[in-house]
Amino acid sequence: MALCTTLKRASILQRRLTTPGSPSCPPHPCSLLRQSFHSSAPKAVIKPFLLADIGEGIRECEVIQWFVTAGNRVEQFDKLCEVQSDKASVEISSRYDGVIKKLHYEPGEMAIVGQPLADIDVDEDAEAVPDWQKAATAAAEETPSPRPEPPGSSRHGALATPAVRGLAKAAEVDITAVLGTGKDGRVLAEDLSRFVDERRDPTIGRPCPEPARPRPEGQRMPLTPIQQQMFKSMTASLSIPHLVYADEYRLDRLEALRVRLNQDPRFRIPIDPHPHPPLPSPSPSPGPAESIKASLLPFIIKALSIALSQHPLLNARLDIPAGAGAGAPSGPARRKPTPSLLLRPHHHIGLAIATAGGLVVPNIQHVERKSIADIARDMHHLQALAHAGRLAPAHLRGATFTVSNVGSVGGTYVSPLIRGVTRSSSSSRTEDDADDGMEEEGAAAAEADGEVAILAIGRARIIPVFADPDPGSDADAESSSAGDAASSRVRRGLVAHFSWSADHRVLDGAAVARCSESLRLLLERPERMLLHLR
């Protein structure tokens, strides 16, 4: 009996030791092998993408459109969005590889320099993960890309130039609701006009929302980005005491020379078929056989550069150090900072251009080195970029003197205002070295700006004038040979009004009058320009 009990207990103990999963059963070697291998996702970090300083002390930019949405994967140099500053639009590219997690601004909102534009999930340890684990992780976390949303319902803005966007804001129209007929669905001014007409009269086209009720107190229109910059610049101009000087120039001989050159088939000003930066897409680049005709303005700008070489004070920059207007400095060893003039050898002539969004002033670089044909070619290129709203910040900074050809629009007499330079009191610093470099470049560009004089040209008019007794005049040679009696003849004359404004803190009337007289002699006797051309 005792032997049977002992055998029974031994059998039960043996079954317990050999049963898998029992507390007394040792772990299987394969299970230990399986537990020694595991996988982990790459280390990810949410990194804010900051809006860097794009120059000229600009503190905020308007978000025009987004090229990505939350959940999209981006790589370095992929376009994220397009923003517009006071006068230029810039496309922002990504500096990281990762996944877009959040967009902080909607199209049309103002983004602050130094603040996050978007949050990007950056894979910092991607290089340290084996290839087989990258593939497994990507397959496990892969999600279908978001389907494109219809126009007007996504965060992407409609394709349109800043000028058209300004017109849409003025008319209180949502630009994303307008059907564009331009290239790649770009909204044109005609599309916007058609949309406004359809909204006013639903019978013209498809049904549209009921227009807003007219307010009895008037319609409030926000300032466009260009008008905001004009507001800042002209407000700063109020601190400049202006000296105004005006004179009439006879342009008979210059106009006759221009007409002869344009009629000569051997005189052609070809347009650069590959301009830099390129012309905007709505205006295709012209072929090599196309050319432009010279107007009076390239001759005037070249003659102005010659006059500025003879009178460099009008091309100078006034530097006012901080504390120059304060009281006496404290301490016997300190000297009070004083203003100074920087005489600049180069002539970057700013050209005022009226666009649908406002007045812009790009500049022609190094006029002193260029011919009249080069100036005419640069003018044509800058005017095309300005009307398309594609001027870059480099086109708008660094002008040493400004010319306003208001006579091309209308008006004979004008009193121009010197553009005031607006500088930011402080610049925000970011964590990235690239942002620091862009801020330093923007500060240096702001310091390069600053003018002490401006010239405005009125409309050229044909009026009766006395015959010129100068014997060198071919047009009046018969009158000159007849003596003093012939010099009293009245003839047709082309006359334009030239108005100067100067900073009276550093320039007096005599300095402006001498420069104006030099310019008048060059324009009334254009052959004298040959002595100064290089």
Side-chain angles (χ1 to χ4, degrees):
M1 189 66 179
L3 180 59
C4 292
T5 303
T6 302
L7 292 175
K8 187 177 182 179
R9 290 178 177 176
S11 178
I12 293 173
L13 179 61
Q14 184 177 7
R15 286 198 304 268
R16 289 180 177 179
L17 292 175
T18 58
T19 300
S22 62
S24 303
C25 181
H28 196 276
C30 292
S31 65
L32 292 177
L33 184 61
R34 285 194 300 268
Q35 294 176 3
S36 61
F37 291 94
H38 65 282
S39 63
S40 60
K43 181 182 179 181
V45 58
I46 303 297
K47 193 171 185 64
F49 185 88
L50 305 182
L51 175 60
D53 188 354
I54 62 176
E56 300 187 8
I58 295 172
R59 307 307 308 152
E60 60 182 9
C61 300
E62 180 183 359
V63 178
I64 299 300
Q65 62 177 328
W66 286 98
F67 301 113
V68 296
T69 58
N72 290 156
R73 185 170 188 84
V74 296
E75 297 180 356
Q76 294 187 32
F77 308 111
D78 285 351
K79 294 189 296 184
L80 296 181
C81 65
E82 180 183 3
V83 299
Q84 180 179 346
S85 63
D86 293 331
K87 290 190 177 181
S89 59
V90 180
E91 292 181 349
I92 304 298
S93 303
S94 174
R95 296 193 298 272
Y96 312 112
D97 297 339
V99 179
I100 301 295
K101 289 298 182 183
K102 180 181 179 181
L103 304 180
H104 289 270
Y105 298 97
E106 296 285 344
E109 293 182 350
M110 301 302 294
I112 307 300
V113 172
Q115 298 298 321
L117 270 176
D119 292 341
I120 303 179
D121 190 353
V122 181
D123 298 336
E124 291 188 343
D125 298 337
E127 293 85 357
V129 181
D131 294 338
W132 62 270
Q133 188 169 343
K134 289 182 183 179
T137 305
E141 297 181 357
E142 183 179 4
T143 57
S145 58
R147 285 183 289 180
E149 301 177 4
S153 61
S154 68
R155 299 173 64 99
H156 294 271
L159 291 176
T161 62
V164 175
R165 294 181 184 277
L167 294 176
K169 285 187 177 181
E172 298 182 353
V173 172
D174 184 5
I175 193 70
T176 59
V178 182
L179 179 61
T181 60
K183 184 179 180 181
D184 299 330
R186 184 181 297 272
V187 178
L188 307 178
E190 295 80 2
D191 303 330
L192 182 62
S193 176
R194 188 184 310 109
F195 181 85
V196 173
D197 293 340
E198 292 177 357
R199 186 176 65 176
R200 292 175 179 173
D201 187 0
T203 60
I204 296 179
R206 55 183 174 82
C208 58
E210 181 182 356
R213 297 179 180 178
R215 287 176 267 181
E217 67 275 8
Q219 183 181 9
R220 185 180 300 274
M221 295 177 55
L223 296 180
T224 64
I226 294 179
Q227 290 173 333
Q228 293 177 12
Q229 177 62 19
M230 291 172 56
F231 176 82
K232 298 175 184 177
S233 178
M234 291 299 100
T235 302
S237 177
L238 295 176
S239 62
I240 302 176
H242 282 63
L243 166 69
V244 180
Y245 178 88
D247 198 1
E248 289 185 345
Y249 297 1
R250 288 186 57 182
L251 306 178
D252 307 80
R253 294 175 180 82
L254 183 61
E255 174 64 11
L257 173 62
R258 185 192 69 85
V259 172
R260 288 197 303 269
L261 291 176
N262 287 334
Q263 291 177 349
D264 190 348
R266 296 168 296 180
F267 178 75
R268 289 291 182 267
I269 303 178
I271 303 176
D272 189 358
H274 303 289
H276 181 76
L279 290 171
S281 55
S283 301
S285 299
E290 296 190 21
S291 59
I292 58 177
K293 293 185 178 181
S295 63
L296 285 176
L297 192 55
F299 293 89
I300 296 175
I301 291 178
K302 185 59 182 180
L304 174 64
S305 176
I306 298 174
L308 291 178
S309 300
Q310 302 170 357
H311 307 276
L313 280 180
L314 276 75
N315 193 58
R317 185 188 76 206
L318 176 61
D319 288 337
I320 305 177
S330 59
R334 296 186 179 181
R335 297 182 58 186
K336 182 179 178 180
T338 57
S340 60
L341 278 174
L342 175 63
L343 302 181
R344 294 176 284 196
H346 51 271
H347 300 158
H348 299 338
I349 306 301
L351 183 63
I353 301 177
T355 66
L359 185 69
V360 294
V361 189
N363 64 86
I364 305 174
Q365 301 282 321
H366 295 288
V367 175
E368 76 280 0
R369 305 177 187 173
K370 295 183 177 180
S371 65
I372 296 176
D374 295 334
I375 297 172
R377 188 182 301 110
D378 289 351
M379 282 178 49
H380 178 270
H381 182 56
L382 290 176
Q383 289 171 348
L385 292 176
H387 290 297
R390 304 302 297 175
L391 286 172
H395 295 131
L396 303 169
R397 66 166 66 107
T400 63
F401 193 95
T402 298
V403 174
S404 175
N405 186 23
V406 69
S408 61
V409 181
T412 305
Y413 308 100
V414 64
S415 178
L417 297 178
I418 302 172
R419 291 189 297 160
V421 178
T422 58
R423 294 184 175 90
S424 177
S425 57
S426 60
S427 299
S428 59
R429 309 298 292 180
T430 61
E431 298 177 356
D432 299 302
D433 295 338
D435 296 346
D436 295 340
M438 294 180 69
E439 288 181 0
E440 293 175 0
E441 181 182 357
E447 291 296 331
D449 289 333
E451 305 169 18
V452 295
I454 184 175
L455 172 63
I457 306 171
R459 172 176 292 176
R461 302 168 297 141
I462 297 178
I463 61 175
V465 295
F466 285 105
D468 193 345
D470 186 358
S473 172
D474 295 337
D476 299 326
E478 182 179 355
S479 299
S480 301
S481 60
D484 295 338
S487 65
S488 60
R489 286 185 179 180
V490 176
R491 59 184 296 269
R492 289 162 51 97
L494 185 65
V495 177
H497 194 87
F498 283 60
S499 302
W500 303 72
S501 289
D503 190 340
H504 209 355
R505 294 174 296 182
V506 293
L507 293 174
D508 53 22
V512 179
R514 284 191 290 266
C515 184
S516 175
E517 189 67 10
S518 298
L519 178 61
R520 185 186 66 82
L521 293 177
L522 291 171
L523 296 180
E524 293 186 352
R525 301 290 188 271
E527 63 273 8
R528 297 186 180 183
M529 296 175 59
L530 298 176
L531 302 176
H532 304 280
L533 297 179
R534 293 183 175 89

